[in-house]
Amino acid sequence: MIIQTEAIVIRSTKYSDSDCILTLFTRKMGKLGVYSKNARLLKSPLMSGSQIFAYSNVTINTRDGKYRLSNADLISNFYKLSSKMEKTYLGYYMIELVEKLSMEGQSNIRLFQLLADSLGELQNNDNIILMKTIFELKILDYTGYRPNASRCIVCGNNQNLGNYFAPGEGGRVCTKCLNQVRLKYMYDTTTFRLIEYIQSNHISKILEAKINDQIIQELSIMLDYYIKYHLSEVKIKTREYLILD
Ligand SMILES: [Zn+2]
């Protein structure tokens, strides 16, 4: 069988002096482990499409349940990510989150588009903390961990919402249900509005809006708690490199 799809390299591992094993995040089939023969040789047509972050139209051959890369036409290698250390780190953090939260062989088109769009936007946008926050909120949404900001997570009501967020339960808590959650933190009303805004708009539109730095900071801290709580099993290695003051 031959698979033709867009793909982004989210991991590239040396297999021998000439070959490498790639983890591709593909539009059609989600995450795939693919053998890339001779990709480490300078003259190889697969070389540029086998680098980390490479975004290409790929052709993959399958035989005996194994995937082999047979062609890669580069769309972008997001080279500007290497212009700043913080951008490189955030790029690595994004692909690690995708690797850990995506499924082998299972398409997640919204997640694929999010990764492609986010790496593209990150090249030209220096607001690292906003880029990180948007990406986190959206990937949580697309992988089944959507934080709920518009209704009470306990009773489902959207009246008397108040400003408390319970990371363990995964959402906002109304004033009546406050004593039913163990851990809760109070945030500004605009922080909840920002969550809803990010959840319902495309990244390019969000980046055009004027958003108060303090609110972004507050949302970033809220998501830190949330991610620690819900993804504690996942062990995201690159997260510690993201020092955002
Ligand atoms: Zn409630």
Side-chain angles (χ1 to χ4, degrees):
M1 191 172 80
I2 292 172
I3 305 162
Q4 286 186 309
T5 181
E6 286 173 41
I8 296 171
V9 178
I10 56 175
R11 182 183 289 270
S12 179
T13 314
K14 179 182 170 184
Y15 182 76
S16 68
D17 283 343
S18 54
D19 307 341
C20 52
I21 304 274
L22 309 176
T23 304
L24 298 181
F25 189 58
T26 69
R27 184 184 284 277
K28 283 188 188 163
M29 294 188 69
K31 194 168 53 181
L32 288 182
V34 175
Y35 188 69
S36 185
K37 192 168 175 56
N38 291 334
R40 294 170 49 79
L41 304 179
L42 274 175
K43 280 183 281 181
S44 168
L46 299 180
M47 191 187 194
S48 60
S50 298
Q51 310 288 318
I52 195 89
F53 294 122
Y55 173 24
S56 313
N57 277 308
V58 298
T59 308
I60 299 164
N61 282 309
T62 64
R63 203 183 301 155
D64 307 326
K66 295 212 168 63
Y67 299 105
R68 272 170 176 263
L69 188 65
S70 62
N71 188 49
D73 286 326
L74 194 70
I75 298 168
S76 175
N77 57 7
F78 303 111
Y79 73 98
K80 284 191 201 161
L81 294 185
S82 57
S83 65
K84 277 191 175 170
M85 201 72 107
E86 300 87 9
K87 290 192 182 197
T88 313
Y89 286 152
L90 183 53
Y92 273 100
Y93 175 62
M94 287 174 174
I95 57 174
E96 187 184 1
L97 272 183
V98 168
E99 186 185 8
K100 300 273 165 75
L101 298 179
S102 63
M103 305 282 227
E104 202 86 38
Q106 202 171 307
S107 167
N108 186 335
I109 291 171
R110 288 195 302 173
L111 186 53
F112 181 84
Q113 202 56 53
L114 173 68
L115 181 62
D117 292 344
S118 301
L119 293 173
E121 294 283 358
L122 181 58
Q123 291 196 100
N124 300 313
N125 197 303
D126 291 335
N127 195 337
I128 299 292
I129 188 165
L130 178 62
M131 292 295 308
K132 167 184 163 282
T133 305
I134 296 170
F135 187 81
E136 286 177 340
L137 253 185
K138 287 193 175 289
I139 193 172
L140 287 168
D141 192 357
Y142 301 162
T143 55
Y145 298 96
R146 181 186 172 100
N148 191 336
S150 51
R151 286 181 178 277
C152 171
I153 199 77
V154 180
C155 69
N157 218 323
N158 60 2
Q159 307 295 313
N160 305 315
L161 273 175
N163 287 332
Y164 283 93
F165 187 86
E169 283 71 11
R172 204 164 174 176
V173 203
C174 79
T175 45
K176 286 180 190 161
C177 299
L178 270 184
N179 56 4
Q180 296 192 43
V181 296
R182 277 173 299 152
L183 207 62
K184 57 211 168 243
Y185 299 98
M186 195 178 170
Y187 297 99
D188 198 282
T189 317
T190 22
T191 305
F192 291 104
R193 263 193 253 131
L194 180 58
I195 293 177
E196 291 176 300
Y197 184 77
I198 292 175
Q199 285 173 337
S200 50
N201 285 287
H202 186 264
I203 182 167
S204 59
K205 191 174 173 200
I206 303 163
L207 292 173
E208 281 170 15
K210 269 209 155 64
I211 305 170
N212 181 300
D213 284 344
Q214 245 176 320
I215 300 299
I216 299 167
Q217 191 79 40
E218 189 170 279
L219 179 53
S220 172
I221 293 167
M222 181 201 273
L223 287 173
D224 281 345
Y225 285 123
Y226 190 89
I227 286 172
K228 267 183 206 140
Y229 204 99
H230 291 276
L231 305 181
S232 60
E233 305 287 300
V234 182
K235 298 273 179 293
I236 305 151
K237 282 183 271 170
T238 51
R239 195 176 169 78
E240 62 196 80
Y241 297 109
L242 295 172
I243 301 156
L244 301 162
D245 294 320

